[in-house]
């Protein structure tokens, strides 16, 4: 059976203009022409148009459709590929919805809202770039700190909770804070200078019992605790000035919310006690 362009349009639900466009592009070649020179199409053309219409409705581009028509790939393979792409887009939209909701709930002033909106619409690639830039600036390219970098990496889920979306907004601002970056970098430099990364754990184990026991920082008993750390007082004071930055602890708390980790133990009381004991 032979069909005119109008008949193909009627049978497929496409417009005459669309059928002519696909024919002009070689996707639906005519099987012949009538005596007036008008194009005529067979059942194979009708089947092709049905495939084209379905794929176009699903958002498949013409180049991929041509590959299907030419037998270079299958409809099933294209459908699987686009299903994966759609799933990724759904994840992006879910994250964006939650973060935008968090922005709306904040009720920020216009300037803050603009900045928050910029953070909210970050794509996954842009988020990774922001995190990568922060870690590279704060820790540098040091193999020995690879584990630390992994521990400090946020991973916003595809469908974040309102709390996770709100935490991401605040964390993104912290990662852009140049002073905070500098403090983290000083901690990393201290690692190379001899102040080991486990110093925080040593301080916690030595000072927390003293705080719990009510030992006054400016007392002989407190001096014994400080001396027991066996650290150079000048280096210890410098380390405290960096590690006792409330932004560091806030970063770790926000990171826990985003990654679904348990809330980290607060070492601020121990650090504050040690700072006062050192001042004595």
């Amino acid at each position: 059976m032979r069909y005119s362009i109008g008949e193909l349009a009627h049978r497929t639900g496409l417009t005459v203009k669309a059928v002519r466009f696909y024919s002009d592009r070689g996707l639906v070649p005519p099987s012949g022409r009538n005596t007036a020179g008008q194009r005529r199409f067979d059942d194979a053309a009708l089947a092709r148009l049905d495939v084209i219409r379905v794929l176009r409705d699903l958002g498949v581009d013409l180049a991929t459709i041509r590959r299907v028509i030419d037998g270079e790939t299958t409809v099933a393979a294209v459908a699987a590929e686009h299903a994966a792409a759609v799933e990724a887009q759904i994840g992006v939209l879910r994250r964006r919805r939650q973060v935008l909701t968090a922005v709306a709930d904040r009720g920020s002033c216009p300037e803050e809202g603009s900045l928050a909106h910029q953070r909210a619409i970050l794509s996954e690639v842009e988020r990774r770039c922001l995190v990568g830039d922060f870690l590279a600036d704060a820790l540098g390219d040091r193999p020995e700190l690879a584990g630390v970098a992994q521990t400090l990496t946020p991973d916003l889920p595809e469908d974040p909770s309102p709390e996770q979306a709100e935490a991401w907004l605040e964390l993104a601002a912290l990662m852009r804070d140049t002073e905070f970056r500098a403090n983290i970098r000083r901690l990393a430099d201290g690692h190379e200078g001899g102040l080991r990364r486990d110093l925080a754990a040593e301080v916690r184990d030595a000072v927390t019992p003293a705080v719990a026991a009510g030992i006054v920082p400016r007392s002989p008993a407190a001096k014994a605790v400080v001396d027991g750390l066996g650290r150079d007082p000048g280096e210890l004071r410098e380390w405290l000035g960096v590690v006792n930055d409330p932004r560091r602890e806030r970063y770790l708390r926000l990171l826990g919310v985003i990654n679904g980790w348990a809330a980290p133990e607060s070492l601020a009381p121990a650090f504050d006690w040690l700072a006062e004991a050192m001042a004595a």
Side-chain angles (χ1 to χ4, degrees), residues 82-259:
H82 278 70
V86 169
E87 184 64 29
Q89 291 174 354
I90 290 173
V92 170
L93 291 174
R94 283 173 177 164
R95 283 190 292 264
R96 189 168 297 178
R97 177 197 63 198
Q98 291 289 26
V99 178
L100 287 171
T101 299
V103 173
D105 291 343
R106 279 186 166 195
S108 306
C109 67
E111 293 77 11
E112 292 174 344
S114 176
L115 291 174
H117 179 71
Q118 291 177 28
R119 301 183 198 120
I121 64 176
L122 288 175
S123 68
E124 183 175 357
V125 172
E126 290 168 324
R127 280 200 314 277
R128 292 187 184 278
C129 285
L130 172 60
V131 174
D133 180 65
F134 165 73
L135 293 175
D137 188 21
L139 301 179
D141 186 16
R142 305 176 187 180
E144 71 274 15
L145 295 181
V148 177
Q150 185 174 1
T151 302
L152 294 178
T153 300
D155 186 15
L156 190 66
E158 288 189 356
D159 192 9
S161 67
E163 292 78 14
Q164 287 172 316
E166 181 69 27
W168 165 251
L169 286 176
E170 190 174 343
L171 194 73
L174 275 177
M175 285 190 288
R176 288 186 172 92
D177 188 327
T178 55
E179 185 179 329
F180 175 61
R181 287 188 179 198
N183 271 0
I184 299 297
R185 188 162 55 248
R186 289 172 63 193
L187 281 176
D189 292 340
H191 167 87
E192 293 185 344
L195 288 176
R196 301 195 309 272
R197 282 178 294 163
D198 58 358
L199 179 54
E202 293 180 22
V203 169
R204 177 197 62 205
D205 294 342
V207 174
T208 300
V211 174
I215 295 177
V216 179
R218 298 175 179 271
S219 66
K223 183 179 184 302
V225 172
V226 175
D227 292 343
L229 291 171
R231 300 288 179 171
D232 177 79
E235 289 184 342
L236 191 56
R237 286 192 186 91
E238 182 181 358
W239 176 81
L240 267 177
V242 178
V243 77
N244 203 20
D245 181 351
R247 289 170 297 189
R248 186 192 67 86
E249 188 164 296
R250 184 59 181 167
Y251 183 99
L252 296 177
R253 190 166 296 277
L254 294 169
L255 187 68
V257 173
I258 294 171
N259 290 354

